[in-house]
Amino acid sequence: IKSLEMICKAMADAGWATDNLAFGSGGALLQKLHRDTQKCAFKCSYACVNGQGVDVVKDPITDPGKKSKKGRLTLEKQDGKFVTVTEGKGDASKDELVEVFRDGKLLVDDTFTAIRKR
């Protein structure tokens, strides 16, 4: 419990809401839902190194299902379905994703009602 208090205080001191955290007990004691069972993870797909763009991909030999998408990504609607276009081959004008935060600053302040309508 003391470590949770320390973490929450550090978050508050840094100006972050604890809504950004998820605490768990580990070891699948309570639930067997995690990023692998949900097929959800945030991964780096592109980086700028010394001014040069570099595609980044994770492709573990032990689990091909964990392969990540590579390069600059766009999320586009094709035939009414969302499709991720990889390796910078997408059309930025068709990208459905919107940058909301940059360097800790809020760029878009949508209402919950507006988000639900989308």
Side-chain angles (χ1 to χ4, degrees), residues 7-44:
I7 292 168
C8 290
K9 182 179 181 327
M11 290 289 287
D13 291 348
W16 287 80
T18 54
D19 289 348
N20 294 297
L21 297 175
F23 296 105
S25 62
L29 296 174
L30 300 175
Q31 299 177 6
K32 294 194 190 292
L33 299 174
H34 46 76
R35 67 182 192 157
D36 289 342
T37 60
Q38 299 302 299
K39 296 290 184 189
C40 178
F42 293 94
K43 300 173 186 172
C44 175

PDB file of all heavy atoms in Angstrom, residues 7-44:
ATOM      1  N   ILE A   7       3.533   6.191  -5.481  1.00  0.00           N
ATOM      2  CA  ILE A   7       3.307   6.331  -6.923  1.00  0.00           C
ATOM      3  C   ILE A   7       2.253   7.405  -7.190  1.00  0.00           C
ATOM      4  O   ILE A   7       2.435   8.282  -8.044  1.00  0.00           O
ATOM      5  CB  ILE A   7       2.890   4.980  -7.547  1.00  0.00           C
ATOM      6  CG1 ILE A   7       4.055   4.000  -7.495  1.00  0.00           C
ATOM      7  CG2 ILE A   7       2.389   5.181  -8.977  1.00  0.00           C
ATOM      8  CD1 ILE A   7       3.677   2.567  -7.812  1.00  0.00           C
ATOM      9  N   CYS A   8       1.149   7.361  -6.453  1.00  0.00           N
ATOM     10  CA  CYS A   8       0.070   8.341  -6.641  1.00  0.00           C
ATOM     11  C   CYS A   8       0.554   9.754  -6.320  1.00  0.00           C
ATOM     12  O   CYS A   8       0.219  10.711  -7.020  1.00  0.00           O
ATOM     13  CB  CYS A   8      -1.146   7.979  -5.797  1.00  0.00           C
ATOM     14  SG  CYS A   8      -1.993   6.505  -6.395  1.00  0.00           S
ATOM     15  N   LYS A   9       1.354   9.913  -5.274  1.00  0.00           N
ATOM     16  CA  LYS A   9       1.889  11.225  -4.915  1.00  0.00           C
ATOM     17  C   LYS A   9       2.826  11.732  -6.005  1.00  0.00           C
ATOM     18  O   LYS A   9       2.761  12.900  -6.402  1.00  0.00           O
ATOM     19  CB  LYS A   9       2.614  11.178  -3.577  1.00  0.00           C
ATOM     20  CG  LYS A   9       3.134  12.547  -3.145  1.00  0.00           C
ATOM     21  CD  LYS A   9       3.839  12.513  -1.810  1.00  0.00           C
ATOM     22  CE  LYS A   9       4.346  13.862  -1.364  1.00  0.00           C
ATOM     23  NZ  LYS A   9       4.788  14.802  -2.340  1.00  0.00           N
ATOM     24  N   ALA A  10       3.686  10.858  -6.500  1.00  0.00           N
ATOM     25  CA  ALA A  10       4.619  11.255  -7.565  1.00  0.00           C
ATOM     26  C   ALA A  10       3.845  11.687  -8.819  1.00  0.00           C
ATOM     27  O   ALA A  10       4.214  12.672  -9.475  1.00  0.00           O
ATOM     28  CB  ALA A  10       5.581  10.121  -7.884  1.00  0.00           C
ATOM     29  N   MET A  11       2.783  10.970  -9.140  1.00  0.00           N
ATOM     30  CA  MET A  11       1.952  11.340 -10.295  1.00  0.00           C
ATOM     31  C   MET A  11       1.315  12.709 -10.080  1.00  0.00           C
ATOM     32  O   MET A  11       1.340  13.559 -10.969  1.00  0.00           O
ATOM     33  CB  MET A  11       0.860  10.292 -10.538  1.00  0.00           C
ATOM     34  CG  MET A  11       1.360   8.961 -11.050  1.00  0.00           C
ATOM     35  SD  MET A  11       1.928   9.018 -12.745  1.00  0.00           S
ATOM     36  CE  MET A  11       0.381   9.140 -13.613  1.00  0.00           C
ATOM     37  N   ALA A  12       0.726  12.918  -8.887  1.00  0.00           N
ATOM     38  CA  ALA A  12       0.083  14.197  -8.589  1.00  0.00           C
ATOM     39  C   ALA A  12       1.101  15.331  -8.612  1.00  0.00           C
ATOM     40  O   ALA A  12       0.829  16.413  -9.161  1.00  0.00           O
ATOM     41  CB  ALA A  12      -0.613  14.122  -7.231  1.00  0.00           C
ATOM     42  N   ASP A  13       2.283  15.102  -8.049  1.00  0.00           N
ATOM     43  CA  ASP A  13       3.338  16.121  -8.039  1.00  0.00           C
ATOM     44  C   ASP A  13       3.770  16.501  -9.453  1.00  0.00           C
ATOM     45  O   ASP A  13       4.151  17.637  -9.716  1.00  0.00           O
ATOM     46  CB  ASP A  13       4.555  15.647  -7.242  1.00  0.00           C
ATOM     47  CG  ASP A  13       4.280  15.550  -5.747  1.00  0.00           C
ATOM     48  OD1 ASP A  13       3.233  16.058  -5.282  1.00  0.00           O
ATOM     49  OD2 ASP A  13       5.112  14.939  -5.041  1.00  0.00           O
ATOM     50  N   ALA A  14       3.698  15.525 -10.365  1.00  0.00           N
ATOM     51  CA  ALA A  14       4.079  15.772 -11.758  1.00  0.00           C
ATOM     52  C   ALA A  14       2.927  16.340 -12.581  1.00  0.00           C
ATOM     53  O   ALA A  14       3.071  16.613 -13.764  1.00  0.00           O
ATOM     54  CB  ALA A  14       4.585  14.472 -12.392  1.00  0.00           C
ATOM     55  N   GLY A  15       1.750  16.489 -11.938  1.00  0.00           N
ATOM     56  CA  GLY A  15       0.608  17.062 -12.644  1.00  0.00           C
ATOM     57  C   GLY A  15      -0.198  16.067 -13.446  1.00  0.00           C
ATOM     58  O   GLY A  15      -0.960  16.443 -14.331  1.00  0.00           O
ATOM     59  N   TRP A  16      -0.030  14.796 -13.154  1.00  0.00           N
ATOM     60  CA  TRP A  16      -0.754  13.744 -13.872  1.00  0.00           C
ATOM     61  C   TRP A  16      -1.885  13.210 -13.002  1.00  0.00           C
ATOM     62  O   TRP A  16      -1.733  13.051 -11.791  1.00  0.00           O
ATOM     63  CB  TRP A  16       0.182  12.585 -14.204  1.00  0.00           C
ATOM     64  CG  TRP A  16       1.149  12.894 -15.305  1.00  0.00           C
ATOM     65  CD1 TRP A  16       2.300  13.602 -15.202  1.00  0.00           C
ATOM     66  CD2 TRP A  16       1.033  12.512 -16.666  1.00  0.00           C
ATOM     67  NE1 TRP A  16       2.920  13.680 -16.416  1.00  0.00           N
ATOM     68  CE2 TRP A  16       2.166  13.018 -17.336  1.00  0.00           C
ATOM     69  CE3 TRP A  16       0.094  11.792 -17.383  1.00  0.00           C
ATOM     70  CZ2 TRP A  16       2.375  12.833 -18.683  1.00  0.00           C
ATOM     71  CZ3 TRP A  16       0.311  11.594 -18.737  1.00  0.00           C
ATOM     72  CH2 TRP A  16       1.433  12.111 -19.379  1.00  0.00           C
ATOM     73  N   ALA A  17      -3.013  12.878 -13.618  1.00  0.00           N
ATOM     74  CA  ALA A  17      -4.127  12.267 -12.904  1.00  0.00           C
ATOM     75  C   ALA A  17      -3.866  10.778 -12.741  1.00  0.00           C
ATOM     76  O   ALA A  17      -3.308  10.131 -13.632  1.00  0.00           O
ATOM     77  CB  ALA A  17      -5.435  12.470 -13.676  1.00  0.00           C
ATOM     78  N   THR A  18      -4.261  10.237 -11.595  1.00  0.00           N
ATOM     79  CA  THR A  18      -4.067   8.806 -11.374  1.00  0.00           C
ATOM     80  C   THR A  18      -4.985   7.964 -12.261  1.00  0.00           C
ATOM     81  O   THR A  18      -4.836   6.749 -12.319  1.00  0.00           O
ATOM     82  CB  THR A  18      -4.289   8.430  -9.895  1.00  0.00           C
ATOM     83  OG1 THR A  18      -5.567   8.895  -9.482  1.00  0.00           O
ATOM     84  CG2 THR A  18      -3.208   9.014  -9.022  1.00  0.00           C
ATOM     85  N   ASP A  19      -5.912   8.611 -12.985  1.00  0.00           N
ATOM     86  CA  ASP A  19      -6.729   7.883 -13.966  1.00  0.00           C
ATOM     87  C   ASP A  19      -5.868   7.278 -15.058  1.00  0.00           C
ATOM     88  O   ASP A  19      -6.298   6.378 -15.776  1.00  0.00           O
ATOM     89  CB  ASP A  19      -7.753   8.816 -14.627  1.00  0.00           C
ATOM     90  CG  ASP A  19      -8.861   9.234 -13.681  1.00  0.00           C
ATOM     91  OD1 ASP A  19      -8.972   8.634 -12.589  1.00  0.00           O
ATOM     92  OD2 ASP A  19      -9.613  10.154 -14.039  1.00  0.00           O
ATOM     93  N   ASN A  20      -4.638   7.766 -15.202  1.00  0.00           N
ATOM     94  CA  ASN A  20      -3.716   7.252 -16.219  1.00  0.00           C
ATOM     95  C   ASN A  20      -3.023   5.969 -15.785  1.00  0.00           C
ATOM     96  O   ASN A  20      -2.226   5.415 -16.527  1.00  0.00           O
ATOM     97  CB  ASN A  20      -2.653   8.307 -16.542  1.00  0.00           C
ATOM     98  CG  ASN A  20      -3.253   9.514 -17.211  1.00  0.00           C
ATOM     99  OD1 ASN A  20      -3.785   9.411 -18.293  1.00  0.00           O
ATOM    100  ND2 ASN A  20      -3.204  10.645 -16.542  1.00  0.00           N
ATOM    101  N   LEU A  21      -3.296   5.495 -14.575  1.00  0.00           N
ATOM    102  CA  LEU A  21      -2.630   4.312 -14.034  1.00  0.00           C
ATOM    103  C   LEU A  21      -3.597   3.145 -13.909  1.00  0.00           C
ATOM    104  O   LEU A  21      -4.790   3.323 -13.749  1.00  0.00           O
ATOM    105  CB  LEU A  21      -2.072   4.600 -12.630  1.00  0.00           C
ATOM    106  CG  LEU A  21      -1.001   5.661 -12.516  1.00  0.00           C
ATOM    107  CD1 LEU A  21      -0.659   5.889 -11.053  1.00  0.00           C
ATOM    108  CD2 LEU A  21       0.240   5.239 -13.274  1.00  0.00           C
ATOM    109  N   ALA A  22      -3.047   1.960 -13.968  1.00  0.00           N
ATOM    110  CA  ALA A  22      -3.802   0.743 -13.658  1.00  0.00           C
ATOM    111  C   ALA A  22      -2.915  -0.105 -12.764  1.00  0.00           C
ATOM    112  O   ALA A  22      -1.773  -0.398 -13.104  1.00  0.00           O
ATOM    113  CB  ALA A  22      -4.147  -0.022 -14.936  1.00  0.00           C
ATOM    114  N   PHE A  23      -3.424  -0.439 -11.596  1.00  0.00           N
ATOM    115  CA  PHE A  23      -2.672  -1.259 -10.653  1.00  0.00           C
ATOM    116  C   PHE A  23      -3.233  -2.673 -10.686  1.00  0.00           C
ATOM    117  O   PHE A  23      -4.425  -2.877 -10.875  1.00  0.00           O
ATOM    118  CB  PHE A  23      -2.788  -0.702  -9.223  1.00  0.00           C
ATOM    119  CG  PHE A  23      -2.193   0.659  -9.066  1.00  0.00           C
ATOM    120  CD1 PHE A  23      -3.001   1.775  -8.953  1.00  0.00           C
ATOM    121  CD2 PHE A  23      -0.819   0.832  -9.033  1.00  0.00           C
ATOM    122  CE1 PHE A  23      -2.456   3.036  -8.801  1.00  0.00           C
ATOM    123  CE2 PHE A  23      -0.261   2.089  -8.883  1.00  0.00           C
ATOM    124  CZ  PHE A  23      -1.086   3.198  -8.766  1.00  0.00           C
ATOM    125  N   GLY A  24      -2.399  -3.652 -10.504  1.00  0.00           N
ATOM    126  CA  GLY A  24      -2.848  -5.035 -10.494  1.00  0.00           C
ATOM    127  C   GLY A  24      -1.999  -5.874  -9.567  1.00  0.00           C
ATOM    128  O   GLY A  24      -0.980  -5.434  -9.055  1.00  0.00           O
ATOM    129  N   SER A  25      -2.446  -7.089  -9.359  1.00  0.00           N
ATOM    130  CA  SER A  25      -1.741  -7.973  -8.437  1.00  0.00           C
ATOM    131  C   SER A  25      -0.765  -8.889  -9.159  1.00  0.00           C
ATOM    132  O   SER A  25       0.042  -9.544  -8.523  1.00  0.00           O
ATOM    133  CB  SER A  25      -2.749  -8.814  -7.651  1.00  0.00           C
ATOM    134  OG  SER A  25      -3.483  -9.619  -8.548  1.00  0.00           O
ATOM    135  N   GLY A  26      -0.852  -8.968 -10.469  1.00  0.00           N
ATOM    136  CA  GLY A  26       0.054  -9.822 -11.226  1.00  0.00           C
ATOM    137  C   GLY A  26      -0.254 -11.299 -11.045  1.00  0.00           C
ATOM    138  O   GLY A  26      -1.107 -11.684 -10.259  1.00  0.00           O
ATOM    139  N   GLY A  27       0.423 -12.114 -11.776  1.00  0.00           N
ATOM    140  CA  GLY A  27       0.296 -13.560 -11.638  1.00  0.00           C
ATOM    141  C   GLY A  27      -1.062 -14.129 -11.984  1.00  0.00           C
ATOM    142  O   GLY A  27      -1.384 -15.256 -11.617  1.00  0.00           O
ATOM    143  N   ALA A  28      -1.903 -13.367 -12.653  1.00  0.00           N
ATOM    144  CA  ALA A  28      -3.230 -13.832 -13.065  1.00  0.00           C
ATOM    145  C   ALA A  28      -4.052 -14.332 -11.882  1.00  0.00           C
ATOM    146  O   ALA A  28      -4.827 -15.263 -12.006  1.00  0.00           O
ATOM    147  CB  ALA A  28      -3.119 -14.896 -14.156  1.00  0.00           C
ATOM    148  N   LEU A  29      -3.872 -13.700 -10.736  1.00  0.00           N
ATOM    149  CA  LEU A  29      -4.615 -14.133  -9.553  1.00  0.00           C
ATOM    150  C   LEU A  29      -6.092 -13.781  -9.634  1.00  0.00           C
ATOM    151  O   LEU A  29      -6.939 -14.532  -9.170  1.00  0.00           O
ATOM    152  CB  LEU A  29      -4.004 -13.512  -8.285  1.00  0.00           C
ATOM    153  CG  LEU A  29      -2.576 -13.949  -7.968  1.00  0.00           C
ATOM    154  CD1 LEU A  29      -2.040 -13.166  -6.781  1.00  0.00           C
ATOM    155  CD2 LEU A  29      -2.540 -15.439  -7.670  1.00  0.00           C
ATOM    156  N   LEU A  30      -6.395 -12.617 -10.199  1.00  0.00           N
ATOM    157  CA  LEU A  30      -7.784 -12.175 -10.240  1.00  0.00           C
ATOM    158  C   LEU A  30      -8.415 -12.327 -11.615  1.00  0.00           C
ATOM    159  O   LEU A  30      -9.580 -12.683 -11.724  1.00  0.00           O
ATOM    160  CB  LEU A  30      -7.888 -10.717  -9.793  1.00  0.00           C
ATOM    161  CG  LEU A  30      -7.400 -10.435  -8.372  1.00  0.00           C
ATOM    162  CD1 LEU A  30      -7.448  -8.938  -8.086  1.00  0.00           C
ATOM    163  CD2 LEU A  30      -8.252 -11.181  -7.363  1.00  0.00           C
ATOM    164  N   GLN A  31      -7.667 -12.008 -12.639  1.00  0.00           N
ATOM    165  CA  GLN A  31      -8.197 -12.061 -13.994  1.00  0.00           C
ATOM    166  C   GLN A  31      -7.142 -12.638 -14.919  1.00  0.00           C
ATOM    167  O   GLN A  31      -5.962 -12.565 -14.634  1.00  0.00           O
ATOM    168  CB  GLN A  31      -8.545 -10.657 -14.492  1.00  0.00           C
ATOM    169  CG  GLN A  31      -9.591  -9.960 -13.681  1.00  0.00           C
ATOM    170  CD  GLN A  31      -9.812  -8.543 -14.196  1.00  0.00           C
ATOM    171  OE1 GLN A  31      -9.268  -8.138 -15.213  1.00  0.00           O
ATOM    172  NE2 GLN A  31     -10.617  -7.790 -13.493  1.00  0.00           N
ATOM    173  N   LYS A  32      -7.581 -13.165 -16.005  1.00  0.00           N
ATOM    174  CA  LYS A  32      -6.634 -13.645 -17.006  1.00  0.00           C
ATOM    175  C   LYS A  32      -6.756 -12.796 -18.268  1.00  0.00           C
ATOM    176  O   LYS A  32      -6.687 -13.285 -19.379  1.00  0.00           O
ATOM    177  CB  LYS A  32      -6.882 -15.116 -17.292  1.00  0.00           C
ATOM    178  CG  LYS A  32      -6.588 -15.987 -16.074  1.00  0.00           C
ATOM    179  CD  LYS A  32      -6.495 -17.441 -16.444  1.00  0.00           C
ATOM    180  CE  LYS A  32      -6.451 -18.330 -15.273  1.00  0.00           C
ATOM    181  NZ  LYS A  32      -5.378 -18.354 -14.417  1.00  0.00           N
ATOM    182  N   LEU A  33      -6.966 -11.492 -18.062  1.00  0.00           N
ATOM    183  CA  LEU A  33      -7.029 -10.544 -19.165  1.00  0.00           C
ATOM    184  C   LEU A  33      -5.806  -9.656 -19.090  1.00  0.00           C
ATOM    185  O   LEU A  33      -5.523  -9.056 -18.061  1.00  0.00           O
ATOM    186  CB  LEU A  33      -8.283  -9.673 -19.067  1.00  0.00           C
ATOM    187  CG  LEU A  33      -9.617 -10.415 -19.126  1.00  0.00           C
ATOM    188  CD1 LEU A  33     -10.758  -9.453 -18.882  1.00  0.00           C
ATOM    189  CD2 LEU A  33      -9.776 -11.124 -20.458  1.00  0.00           C
ATOM    190  N   HIS A  34      -5.071  -9.594 -20.177  1.00  0.00           N
ATOM    191  CA  HIS A  34      -3.900  -8.744 -20.233  1.00  0.00           C
ATOM    192  C   HIS A  34      -3.648  -8.387 -21.694  1.00  0.00           C
ATOM    193  O   HIS A  34      -4.410  -8.776 -22.577  1.00  0.00           O
ATOM    194  CB  HIS A  34      -2.676  -9.414 -19.587  1.00  0.00           C
ATOM    195  CG  HIS A  34      -2.463 -10.830 -20.004  1.00  0.00           C
ATOM    196  ND1 HIS A  34      -1.954 -11.171 -21.227  1.00  0.00           N
ATOM    197  CD2 HIS A  34      -2.747 -11.996 -19.366  1.00  0.00           C
ATOM    198  CE1 HIS A  34      -1.904 -12.486 -21.336  1.00  0.00           C
ATOM    199  NE2 HIS A  34      -2.375 -13.008 -20.211  1.00  0.00           N
ATOM    200  N   ARG A  35      -2.594  -7.650 -21.951  1.00  0.00           N
ATOM    201  CA  ARG A  35      -2.371  -7.161 -23.309  1.00  0.00           C
ATOM    202  C   ARG A  35      -2.220  -8.285 -24.331  1.00  0.00           C
ATOM    203  O   ARG A  35      -2.550  -8.108 -25.500  1.00  0.00           O
ATOM    204  CB  ARG A  35      -1.189  -6.212 -23.360  1.00  0.00           C
ATOM    205  CG  ARG A  35       0.122  -6.886 -23.066  1.00  0.00           C
ATOM    206  CD  ARG A  35       1.259  -5.911 -23.065  1.00  0.00           C
ATOM    207  NE  ARG A  35       2.486  -6.691 -23.063  1.00  0.00           N
ATOM    208  CZ  ARG A  35       3.632  -6.244 -23.492  1.00  0.00           C
ATOM    209  NH1 ARG A  35       3.725  -5.033 -23.964  1.00  0.00           N
ATOM    210  NH2 ARG A  35       4.681  -7.011 -23.459  1.00  0.00           N
ATOM    211  N   ASP A  36      -1.716  -9.445 -23.910  1.00  0.00           N
ATOM    212  CA  ASP A  36      -1.575 -10.551 -24.855  1.00  0.00           C
ATOM    213  C   ASP A  36      -2.924 -11.190 -25.175  1.00  0.00           C
ATOM    214  O   ASP A  36      -3.221 -11.478 -26.330  1.00  0.00           O
ATOM    215  CB  ASP A  36      -0.605 -11.607 -24.323  1.00  0.00           C
ATOM    216  CG  ASP A  36       0.841 -11.121 -24.327  1.00  0.00           C
ATOM    217  OD1 ASP A  36       1.134 -10.130 -25.033  1.00  0.00           O
ATOM    218  OD2 ASP A  36       1.659 -11.722 -23.630  1.00  0.00           O
ATOM    219  N   THR A  37      -3.754 -11.425 -24.141  1.00  0.00           N
ATOM    220  CA  THR A  37      -5.058 -12.041 -24.410  1.00  0.00           C
ATOM    221  C   THR A  37      -5.970 -11.083 -25.167  1.00  0.00           C
ATOM    222  O   THR A  37      -6.828 -11.509 -25.924  1.00  0.00           O
ATOM    223  CB  THR A  37      -5.769 -12.488 -23.110  1.00  0.00           C
ATOM    224  OG1 THR A  37      -5.987 -11.351 -22.266  1.00  0.00           O
ATOM    225  CG2 THR A  37      -4.980 -13.551 -22.383  1.00  0.00           C
ATOM    226  N   GLN A  38      -5.782  -9.783 -24.964  1.00  0.00           N
ATOM    227  CA  GLN A  38      -6.599  -8.777 -25.643  1.00  0.00           C
ATOM    228  C   GLN A  38      -5.986  -8.331 -26.974  1.00  0.00           C
ATOM    229  O   GLN A  38      -6.576  -7.532 -27.694  1.00  0.00           O
ATOM    230  CB  GLN A  38      -6.806  -7.571 -24.733  1.00  0.00           C
ATOM    231  CG  GLN A  38      -7.530  -7.894 -23.446  1.00  0.00           C
ATOM    232  CD  GLN A  38      -8.883  -8.500 -23.691  1.00  0.00           C
ATOM    233  OE1 GLN A  38      -9.747  -7.881 -24.302  1.00  0.00           O
ATOM    234  NE2 GLN A  38      -9.084  -9.737 -23.256  1.00  0.00           N
ATOM    235  N   LYS A  39      -4.795  -8.850 -27.283  1.00  0.00           N
ATOM    236  CA  LYS A  39      -4.076  -8.486 -28.516  1.00  0.00           C
ATOM    237  C   LYS A  39      -3.934  -6.966 -28.632  1.00  0.00           C
ATOM    238  O   LYS A  39      -4.216  -6.362 -29.664  1.00  0.00           O
ATOM    239  CB  LYS A  39      -4.771  -9.045 -29.760  1.00  0.00           C
ATOM    240  CG  LYS A  39      -4.806 -10.549 -29.814  1.00  0.00           C
ATOM    241  CD  LYS A  39      -3.427 -11.097 -30.047  1.00  0.00           C
ATOM    242  CE  LYS A  39      -3.468 -12.606 -30.198  1.00  0.00           C
ATOM    243  NZ  LYS A  39      -2.167 -13.189 -30.217  1.00  0.00           N
ATOM    244  N   CYS A  40      -3.535  -6.338 -27.527  1.00  0.00           N
ATOM    245  CA  CYS A  40      -3.409  -4.890 -27.495  1.00  0.00           C
ATOM    246  C   CYS A  40      -2.108  -4.492 -26.811  1.00  0.00           C
ATOM    247  O   CYS A  40      -1.835  -4.929 -25.698  1.00  0.00           O
ATOM    248  CB  CYS A  40      -4.598  -4.284 -26.742  1.00  0.00           C
ATOM    249  SG  CYS A  40      -4.491  -2.498 -26.602  1.00  0.00           S
ATOM    250  N   ALA A  41      -1.326  -3.691 -27.485  1.00  0.00           N
ATOM    251  CA  ALA A  41      -0.104  -3.164 -26.886  1.00  0.00           C
ATOM    252  C   ALA A  41       0.290  -1.910 -27.670  1.00  0.00           C
ATOM    253  O   ALA A  41      -0.041  -1.774 -28.842  1.00  0.00           O
ATOM    254  CB  ALA A  41       1.019  -4.191 -26.947  1.00  0.00           C
ATOM    255  N   PHE A  42       0.965  -1.013 -27.003  1.00  0.00           N
ATOM    256  CA  PHE A  42       1.479   0.174 -27.664  1.00  0.00           C
ATOM    257  C   PHE A  42       2.950  -0.067 -27.945  1.00  0.00           C
ATOM    258  O   PHE A  42       3.709  -0.393 -27.048  1.00  0.00           O
ATOM    259  CB  PHE A  42       1.302   1.400 -26.767  1.00  0.00           C
ATOM    260  CG  PHE A  42      -0.129   1.757 -26.568  1.00  0.00           C
ATOM    261  CD1 PHE A  42      -0.828   1.285 -25.484  1.00  0.00           C
ATOM    262  CD2 PHE A  42      -0.787   2.563 -27.491  1.00  0.00           C
ATOM    263  CE1 PHE A  42      -2.157   1.605 -25.296  1.00  0.00           C
ATOM    264  CE2 PHE A  42      -2.114   2.890 -27.315  1.00  0.00           C
ATOM    265  CZ  PHE A  42      -2.804   2.414 -26.215  1.00  0.00           C
ATOM    266  N   LYS A  43       3.320   0.090 -29.206  1.00  0.00           N
ATOM    267  CA  LYS A  43       4.692  -0.196 -29.602  1.00  0.00           C
ATOM    268  C   LYS A  43       5.206   0.929 -30.492  1.00  0.00           C
ATOM    269  O   LYS A  43       4.443   1.571 -31.201  1.00  0.00           O
ATOM    270  CB  LYS A  43       4.762  -1.512 -30.373  1.00  0.00           C
ATOM    271  CG  LYS A  43       4.282  -2.698 -29.579  1.00  0.00           C
ATOM    272  CD  LYS A  43       4.217  -3.943 -30.424  1.00  0.00           C
ATOM    273  CE  LYS A  43       3.603  -5.080 -29.635  1.00  0.00           C
ATOM    274  NZ  LYS A  43       3.349  -6.234 -30.451  1.00  0.00           N
ATOM    275  N   CYS A  44       6.488   1.127 -30.467  1.00  0.00           N
ATOM    276  CA  CYS A  44       7.123   2.091 -31.350  1.00  0.00           C
ATOM    277  C   CYS A  44       7.115   1.524 -32.771  1.00  0.00           C
ATOM    278  O   CYS A  44       7.425   0.362 -32.994  1.00  0.00           O
ATOM    279  CB  CYS A  44       8.559   2.319 -30.875  1.00  0.00           C
ATOM    280  SG  CYS A  44       9.508   3.376 -31.973  1.00  0.00           S
TER     281      CYS A  44
END
